Amino acid sequence: MGKAESFEFQDMGKYSSDSEMSNGSKKGGCFVSTAIGFVLTLLAACLAVGVGLIVHFASPGDLECKCTYPGLTSGNGGTGAIVGGKATTITPGSALIDQCKGIVNDGNTEICSVCPNVQITSLKPTSSSPAQATTTTSSPTSSRDVRLPRNIKPDLYTVELQPNMYEGPAKDFTFNGTVKIKMICVISTPEVVLHINKLNITGSITLSAVDDSSFAYVSHSFDSVRQFIIIRGNKDLIAGHNYTIEMSFIGPLKDDLHGLYLSSYKRGNKTVYIATTQFQATDLRKTFPCFDEPAIKAKFDITLVRKSHMTALSNMPKIASVQRGDDWVADTFQTTPPVSTYLLAFIISDFNYTSAVTTNNVTYRAWARPEAVEQTRYALSVGVEVLTYFEDYFNISFPLPKQDMIAIPDFAAGAMENWGLITYRETAMLYDPKESSEGNKERVAVVVSHELAHQWFGNLVTPSWWDDLWLNEGFASFVEYMGVDHVHKDWKMFEQFVVEDLQDVFNFDGLVTSHPVYVPVTHPDEINEIFDRISYGKGASIIRMMRFFLGEGTFKRGLTRYLNGRKYDAAFHDDLWFALGNQSKDEGKDINVKAIMDTWTLQMNFPVVMLKRDHNNIVVTQKRYLRDYGAKDPGKYVSKFNYAWEIPFTFTSQSKANFNQTDQDVSWMHKNNISLLLPSISPNDWIIGNVMQYGYYRVNYEESNWNKLVQQLDDNHEKIHAINRAQIVNDAWNLAKSGDLDMRIALKTVNYLAKEREYIVWEAALGELGYVDSMLERTSLYGSFANFMRDTVEAPFNETNLADSSLPHLQSYVRSLISAQACEYGIQKCIDQSKELFKNWMSSPDNNTINPSVRSTVYCTAIRNGGVEEWDFAYQMYKISNLASEKSRLMSSLACSRETWILSRYLQYALTPEEIRKQDATNVIVHISRNPVGRSLAWDFVRANWNKLLKDFGEVLYKFARLLAGTTSSFNHPFDLMQLEEFLKAHPDMGSGTRAFQQAIEKTKSNIKWMESNFNVVEEWLKSRGY
Ligand SMILES: [Zn+2]
């Protein structure tokens, strides 16, 4: 999925042959039991169909897991190599066996999530064989057994869906349909278990055997907790035989943003309805009964039934249209390749499109409301270019004949990578050169690139289970930069990465309530929770680090190896490590990628590396960084590496400054300390560790070195690369927050800021200064701080002009940042210009001449310094704007008012769908909470409307966590903490908000601590600078 909206600037081969799918080598199993005195029995019994790996760890225990691991080949030197396809032999040294042993040895109760393709079977005394394993679907549900048994494998679904949304009130809309599933039985079983949720079965269920006419349906039952339907025949289904199941059903068509759902938009006073889908992670089962797990791929024949004035779209091209009478038309689509259930998409709309054909002959169409179709052209051009670029980069053709992108008026995430039919929220796809800012433009390019990256990472090769979600999202979040960089070299995307992703996720990953990149998850609530910054931002950051230490060429060839090895199939993260490790071995580098990357993915947080001089050496040590070392670790995750990492360390120094380093410059710092010789480096030189911040770690120095760096910034900051300038600021401030560094030094790193002109450094610095602002905003010190900020931005502000529309991309970014500060901290010229520009617009509403890149500042300033007249005008413009990104700017600016009653009214609007679209409601509340006047209003509002918010947004990916984090981010008083704790006590059942609430408590505690330790220091520093 694409990143969600509230990140405002940037916020989610050939068709495989059937013979590959039916190849027996895909079947296999590994049975693991928890053990007292672990006994390994390699049964060497390839009892399942075909040849593969079957390992049985049998011992008395209370839980048994079965893992199937398709296509495992013999190990390479005992380390294990995993390649899809024609595997025939297994050696005991293979990775999976080692892994299974390790799991059991550790007594790890999470075993079922660690093994790929896991199935939980009944409690067994010892030594059961796979053919005898029976699934206990009716046993009491533990948190671990929500997974489907693997005894049935679907091959081809034939599905028909008909939304009924043309007559009567929207609350009565429904959809009905039929599904027929051709399946093969892999392990004999008395029943078929598949997913269903919120559907009513209509008519009878048919269960038949292809080669046994006496086989028939007998009964079915539901397990509503696990969202299962269990269907039984008059005899067992036998391994190796083919079966078919058929059902018809009906379900509600609601505007709930999940499954097959209702969206709408206004044309004049008329509401136009469309039906669209969002299935990730577990919502296809709301649309038709299916085997709804990512590793259970199958082919799909889809038919969508629509009224004649509408258009139907799905993953594949349409191949036939049949009139059904009464104005109904049934469109049938080409059979899909094997695809995971969550990647399907069905849309019925009256949209129009623009189109192009890529150089490799893929038809590319961009769809939107007819009124907005012209705004699709930029996304289309980026899409066409990036799709071809990725085909070249991965060296694998896009496997589908067409690619559609479509802008949906109501959408929960930023975008969704459905194979061949990518859905976007409008702000992530629509762009109008006259009305959209440079930031809007970049966001469109980034999201388009992100979703296209998924067509390979996620769609062609899919994580076996949601615990490896990061394989999807981390990759797409890194590769998106490559795609945009290809189209817009001058945007310096790889520099932007450091502030947008790496430093951003450090904030989250420095908390004890963080989580490892790889997380065992089962329940849908848990799955939804991990669509967070760790999976996206940390995933991307450690992949960037890996690209650096492997070298670009090895990385690229290793990725192609991984994708080709697992295409049309599922993968476990070890598959990636082995593909990259074996590639490096083939190229003579022999880097043990798994051993390195396990330390970054299986434990949470990250290290801070300390550099100390010792004569001509630097001694380099590492420790776990925590923003608050006193915070109590909830103990949910235990590090098996004792919070030590395999670190690709790099450094440079003053007299031999080199910011252009490669994998050849890496000194490996294993999970221990290292000592590096620094020949002929003068003791007067500064040293910088983690050159270009390729590594996912912070760096700390002795005070003398920090002072030399500060001196360098003051004297000639350009001697240090902009990325490392941003790093120095970010590390220093965050080391001060954690108590690893004296705050006085951190403050000195921004002394030179008035001379800085690079976007990423301003972004890093304003992130920290913005934090100080939020801590001080209710204190007596705020006036002095505002004066300091005003003086710092004055010089760069005076070089810019709010009306200049010719600035290049990154300069425009700098102006946006600087002018926002200038107006906020009261530079009169900025306020006057903004008011003037806004007044001109008010006097001719149809002709907005304000440069899109400064509109946010101009709107906010005019509303902050204006009254109800300005607010009502902006709200009116918000209501009638046809461009989503302009709407979004107005929406956030409306929160800038200083009038309490206006803000209260705006909060009420947020929960009134006729005023504010449901998808934007939480954003409005968060925007208001960022206004010092609105902060307590917003928090009171959240508490007063808790049940409604939880009901409306608790299940929506991202939103609820954002709402909580947003409204509580500047809590810094013991009274705030007390409120949070009392609220938690009163609402123990928070669903997907649990983690976010714990984080809010932790954040508040650390804010309180910051105030205790730093308030006086900041006061002293301001005084010393004359404020
Ligand atoms: Zn994504």
Side-chain angles (χ1 to χ4, degrees):
M1 240 181 288
K3 293 176 216 177
E5 182 63 11
S6 54
F7 297 97
E8 202 45 60
F9 253 0
Q10 57 299 129
D11 248 298
M12 216 179 290
K14 285 198 330 261
Y15 189 153
S16 158
S17 67
D18 286 348
S19 64
E20 192 182 345
M21 284 309 294
S22 58
N23 186 306
S25 67
K26 299 275 172 181
K27 314 296 188 301
C30 157
F31 287 68
V32 184
S33 301
T34 50
I36 309 157
F38 155 76
V39 181
L40 165 62
T41 312
L42 179 58
L43 289 176
C46 299
L47 297 180
V49 184
V51 182
L53 170 67
I54 297 178
V55 185
H56 191 164
F57 299 100
S59 67
D62 58 1
L63 182 60
E64 181 174 274
C65 278
K66 189 185 80 167
C67 319
T68 58
Y69 206 62
L72 190 68
T73 66
S74 61
N76 187 352
T79 55
I82 296 162
V83 181
K86 313 288 185 281
T88 53
T89 55
I90 292 300
T91 63
S94 83
L96 183 61
I97 296 173
D98 285 347
Q99 189 185 4
C100 289
K101 276 190 210 170
I103 293 160
V104 178
N105 274 334
D106 290 351
N108 192 335
T109 55
E110 304 291 327
I111 53 176
C112 305
S113 293
V114 175
C115 289
N117 294 354
V118 72
Q119 171 198 343
I120 295 178
T121 57
S122 58
L123 306 181
K124 293 281 175 191
T126 49
S127 299
S128 61
S129 79
Q132 294 161 343
T134 47
T135 308
T136 56
T137 52
S138 54
S139 69
T141 309
S142 85
S143 67
R144 291 289 139 208
D145 59 0
V146 298
R147 303 287 298 271
L148 287 175
R150 291 302 158 100
N151 37 26
I152 301 288
K153 184 182 177 332
D155 174 45
L156 174 68
Y157 291 71
T158 305
V159 181
E160 179 171 313
L161 293 167
Q162 177 172 9
N164 304 299
M165 55 178 179
Y166 305 97
E167 284 164 18
K171 69 176 178 41
D172 297 335
F173 288 172
T174 60
F175 64 92
N176 56 277
T178 58
V179 59
K180 175 178 174 183
I181 311 171
K182 286 187 182 166
M183 326 170 280
I184 180 160
C185 177
V186 180
I187 300 167
S188 297
T189 172
E191 60 199 15
V192 181
V193 183
L194 62 164
H195 285 112
I196 190 169
N197 187 24
K198 297 179 180 163
L199 291 175
N200 284 328
I201 304 284
T202 53
S204 53
I205 296 173
T206 307
L207 180 61
S208 55
V210 169
D211 51 7
D212 177 1
S213 57
S214 66
F215 182 84
Y217 163 89
V218 167
S219 67
H220 72 274
S221 57
F222 296 98
D223 177 336
S224 59
V225 174
R226 288 180 289 185
Q227 302 173 343
F228 286 169
I229 176 169
I230 302 135
I231 300 168
R232 292 173 202 87
N234 56 354
K235 47 184 130 173
D236 282 7
L237 291 81
I238 308 298
H241 291 253
N242 293 295
Y243 297 85
T244 301
I245 203 164
E246 284 185 77
M247 283 177 265
S248 53
F249 49 85
I250 188 165
L253 184 65
K254 296 200 296 191
D255 60 347
D256 58 357
L257 307 176
H258 287 272
L260 177 64
Y261 70 91
L262 188 70
S263 177
S264 64
Y265 64 94
K266 291 276 188 200
R267 180 171 295 131
N269 285 332
K270 196 174 154 244
T271 302
V272 181
Y273 291 104
I274 69 166
T276 183
T277 56
Q278 167 63 37
F279 295 133
Q280 193 178 35
T282 58
D283 286 321
L284 184 64
R285 64 190 70 167
K286 267 180 75 187
T287 303
F288 57 85
C290 59
F291 297 84
D292 199 9
E293 292 189 7
I296 310 183
K297 295 193 178 187
K299 292 167 286 179
F300 289 81
D301 278 331
I302 302 296
T303 297
L304 299 176
V305 184
R306 60 176 168 88
K307 289 285 185 178
S308 64
H309 66 285
M310 303 291 268
T311 301
L313 295 172
S314 187
N315 306 76
M316 298 295 283
K318 184 169 77 176
I319 49 173
S321 284
V322 176
Q323 302 292 327
R324 287 263 177 101
D326 199 21
D327 201 31
W328 291 104
V329 180
D331 292 329
T332 300
F333 298 86
Q334 200 176 316
T335 309
T336 68
V339 56
S340 299
T341 47
Y342 78 91
L343 290 169
L344 294 173
F346 320 120
I347 298 170
I348 292 178
S349 74
D350 66 344
F351 286 8
N352 290 345
Y353 66 92
T354 57
S355 71
V357 177
T358 71
T359 46
N360 295 336
N361 226 16
V362 178
T363 302
Y364 210 125
R365 294 179 297 184
W367 298 77
R369 291 178 282 115
E371 294 83 351
V373 74
E374 282 305 308
Q375 299 165 9
T376 61
R377 295 196 183 275
Y378 175 67
L380 180 70
S381 74
V382 171
V384 164
E385 247 186 285
V386 171
L387 185 79
T388 305
Y389 169 72
F390 284 159
E391 289 184 303
D392 292 345
Y393 187 85
F394 298 133
N395 201 14
I396 298 174
S397 299
F398 179 66
L400 308 184
K402 65 92 174 171
Q403 177 66 265
D404 284 307
M405 51 164 57
I406 184 163
I408 304 292
D410 299 274
F411 202 76
M416 177 64 210
E417 67 266 21
N418 316 301
W419 217 2
L421 176 51
I422 304 173
T423 44
Y424 293 82
R425 76 163 40 201
E426 290 195 342
T427 47
M429 185 176 138
L430 301 182
Y431 171 77
D432 178 340
K434 286 203 192 69
E435 302 279 320
S436 304
S437 68
E438 291 296 313
N440 300 142
K441 189 175 186 180
E442 184 173 311
R443 173 163 161 82
V444 169
V446 163
V447 179
V448 168
S449 181
H450 177 102
E451 304 309 326
L452 286 174
H454 276 312
Q455 307 300 302
W456 286 263
F457 278 95
N459 300 9
L460 186 63
V461 179
T462 310
S464 301
W465 181 242
W466 298 111
D467 46 14
D468 266 326
L469 175 77
W470 80 275
L471 269 187
N472 260 3
E473 297 306 345
F475 255 98
S477 300
F478 176 67
V479 171
E480 71 190 29
Y481 286 86
M482 293 168 45
V484 179
D485 181 67
H486 173 73
V487 181
H488 295 290
K489 277 271 174 274
D490 61 315
W491 289 7
K492 298 187 186 171
M493 292 305 295
F494 291 113
E495 292 191 13
Q496 289 195 51
F497 181 95
V498 172
V499 287
E500 310 301 357
D501 270 309
L502 182 126
Q503 293 178 4
D504 177 65
V505 75
F506 272 171
N507 285 330
F508 182 91
D509 201 24
L511 306 177
V512 293
T513 47
S514 184
H515 64 80
V517 165
Y518 175 83
V519 192
V521 288
T522 46
H523 192 274
D525 275 355
E526 294 174 326
I527 294 169
N528 284 345
E529 271 188 35
I530 60 170
F531 280 84
D532 67 5
R533 292 298 295 146
I534 294 294
S535 297
Y536 287 74
K538 183 172 182 177
S541 298
I542 62 177
I543 287 161
R544 173 174 171 268
M545 173 168 74
M546 190 166 64
R547 181 172 91 149
F548 173 68
F549 71 67
L550 283 169
E552 163 63 21
T554 307
F555 175 77
K556 176 176 182 297
R557 290 182 289 273
L559 292 187
T560 302
R561 184 180 188 137
Y562 162 77
L563 291 169
N564 274 325
R566 307 298 310 158
K567 62 186 174 188
Y568 301 105
D569 210 331
F572 186 55
H573 56 247
D574 280 358
D575 292 321
L576 178 65
W577 306 152
F578 293 137
L580 291 165
N582 288 336
Q583 190 65 34
S584 87
K585 195 170 197 175
D586 288 356
E587 297 183 7
K589 294 181 183 169
D590 203 10
I591 295 170
N592 189 341
V593 176
K594 177 174 163 56
I596 296 161
M597 295 308 288
D598 275 355
T599 69
W600 298 97
T601 56
L602 302 183
Q603 59 186 347
M604 63 181 181
N605 308 132
F606 55 88
V608 53
V609 167
M610 179 73 195
L611 270 61
K612 275 201 173 118
R613 277 179 191 264
D614 181 15
H615 300 95
N616 275 341
N617 292 325
I618 38 174
V619 178
V620 187
T621 55
Q622 62 163 297
K623 69 167 186 177
R624 176 192 191 186
Y625 171 84
L626 287 175
R627 184 173 140 159
D628 178 0
Y629 291 102
K632 188 171 175 294
D633 190 327
K636 185 166 181 185
Y637 303 105
V638 177
S639 166
K640 63 158 110 171
F641 306 108
N642 204 19
Y643 291 107
W645 287 263
E646 294 285 316
I647 300 173
F649 180 72
T650 55
F651 71 94
T652 191
S653 65
Q654 189 165 1
S655 47
K656 294 187 174 173
N658 173 14
F659 293 92
N660 193 19
Q661 301 195 3
T662 69
D663 56 310
Q664 301 300 313
D665 299 302
V666 169
S667 306
W668 279 101
M669 180 178 187
H670 298 294
K671 295 189 282 291
N672 51 25
N673 301 338
I674 54 167
S675 183
L676 297 174
L677 201 58
L678 288 178
S680 69
I681 289 180
S682 152
N684 298 324
D685 273 12
W686 47 253
I687 304 168
I688 290 175
N690 199 6
V691 175
M692 305 297 270
Q693 223 170 10
Y694 284 122
Y696 189 73
Y697 58 94
R698 295 196 187 284
V699 187
N700 199 359
Y701 311 94
E702 293 166 287
E703 199 164 321
S704 55
N705 195 62
W706 279 113
N707 284 328
K708 284 177 200 148
L709 291 171
V710 166
Q711 194 60 49
Q712 181 69 67
L713 292 174
D714 289 346
D715 294 346
N716 174 13
H717 59 280
E718 287 177 345
K719 171 106 197 225
I720 298 170
H721 192 281
I723 287 182
N724 283 102
R725 301 205 293 274
Q727 172 217 25
I728 287 167
V729 172
N730 183 263
D731 277 352
W733 281 73
N734 285 285
L735 291 166
K737 280 178 207 163
S738 63
D740 287 297
L741 180 66
D742 192 326
M743 184 67 183
R744 287 169 193 86
I745 289 173
L747 288 162
K748 282 195 261 179
T749 62
V750 295
N751 282 349
Y752 88 104
L753 202 57
K755 290 186 257 180
E756 183 59 75
R757 295 296 179 271
E758 285 286 331
Y759 164 68
I760 58 167
V761 190
W762 270 104
E763 178 74 9
L766 289 176
E768 302 309 329
L769 292 166
Y771 177 75
V772 177
D773 177 287
S774 72
M775 291 299 101
L776 299 184
E777 72 185 12
R778 292 184 298 176
T779 71
S780 55
L781 204 50
Y782 191 72
S784 311
F785 177 74
N787 288 342
F788 158 74
M789 288 301 291
R790 196 166 53 230
D791 289 354
T792 300
V793 298
E794 187 149 30
F797 177 75
N798 284 333
E799 292 166 16
T800 70
N801 181 344
L802 290 182
D804 186 353
S805 57
S806 64
L807 289 182
H809 187 71
L810 286 174
Q811 282 183 38
S812 167
Y813 272 22
V814 173
R815 178 181 60 179
S816 298
L817 287 178
I818 298 288
S819 56
Q821 307 301 316
C823 281
E824 183 180 344
Y825 291 111
I827 292 182
Q828 202 54 42
K829 186 176 134 198
C830 187
I831 296 170
D832 291 345
Q833 275 187 12
S834 298
K835 285 166 78 172
E836 180 71 21
L837 288 164
F838 195 81
K839 210 169 111 196
N840 292 345
W841 184 31
M842 282 178 77
S843 63
S844 87
D846 296 337
N847 184 27
N848 184 352
T849 57
I850 307 166
N851 185 290
S853 294
V854 294
R855 281 186 187 177
S856 290
T857 295
V858 169
Y859 296 171
C860 180
T861 305
I863 289 168
R864 189 193 295 128
N865 294 283
V868 69
E869 199 185 335
E870 284 78 8
W871 200 95
D872 285 349
F873 172 77
Y875 188 65
Q876 198 53 36
M877 295 297 106
Y878 165 78
K879 294 292 272 188
I880 62 172
S881 171
N882 182 38
L883 179 71
S885 53
E886 173 73 359
K887 266 185 172 326
S888 160
R889 261 193 301 268
L890 284 160
M891 189 179 78
S892 60
S893 303
L894 287 164
C896 294
S897 172
R898 282 181 184 148
E899 302 277 353
T900 310
W901 74 269
I902 289 178
L903 293 175
S904 295
R905 185 177 67 175
Y906 194 27
L907 280 168
Q908 289 302 330
Y909 287 177
L911 290 187
T912 313
E914 296 75 35
E915 298 291 344
I916 301 290
R917 296 189 80 93
K918 194 170 169 184
Q919 66 172 10
D920 298 324
T922 51
N923 283 344
V924 167
I925 302 169
V926 171
H927 285 311
I928 291 174
S929 75
R930 287 184 184 149
N931 175 348
V933 180
R935 194 172 78 159
S936 52
L937 286 178
W939 173 233
D940 288 348
F941 185 82
V942 166
R943 282 186 296 177
N945 294 281
W946 181 259
N947 289 334
K948 179 166 173 53
L949 290 165
L950 191 63
K951 182 168 150 280
D952 286 358
F953 303 107
E955 283 179 15
V956 178
L957 315 180
Y958 288 109
K959 295 221 166 243
F960 205 67
R962 291 269 163 75
L963 176 68
L964 279 175
T967 45
T968 61
S969 65
S970 55
F971 281 17
N972 63 357
H973 194 276
F975 177 71
D976 297 327
L977 180 63
M978 198 179 77
Q979 285 191 342
L980 279 174
E981 284 172 339
E982 277 178 4
F983 195 76
L984 183 61
K985 235 182 267 167
H987 298 80
D989 183 20
M990 294 234 173
S992 62
T994 308
R995 180 175 289 163
F997 212 93
Q998 282 166 351
Q999 281 161 357
I1001 288 178
E1002 195 188 340
K1003 183 91 197 289
T1004 303
K1005 284 181 181 165
S1006 85
N1007 288 346
I1008 292 170
K1009 227 170 166 174
W1010 189 94
M1011 289 294 280
E1012 286 166 1
S1013 345
N1014 294 313
F1015 185 84
N1016 294 337
V1017 178
V1018 174
E1019 188 172 30
E1020 248 174 60
W1021 169 70
L1022 286 169
K1023 264 194 194 140
S1024 77
R1025 297 191 42 119
Y1027 295 100

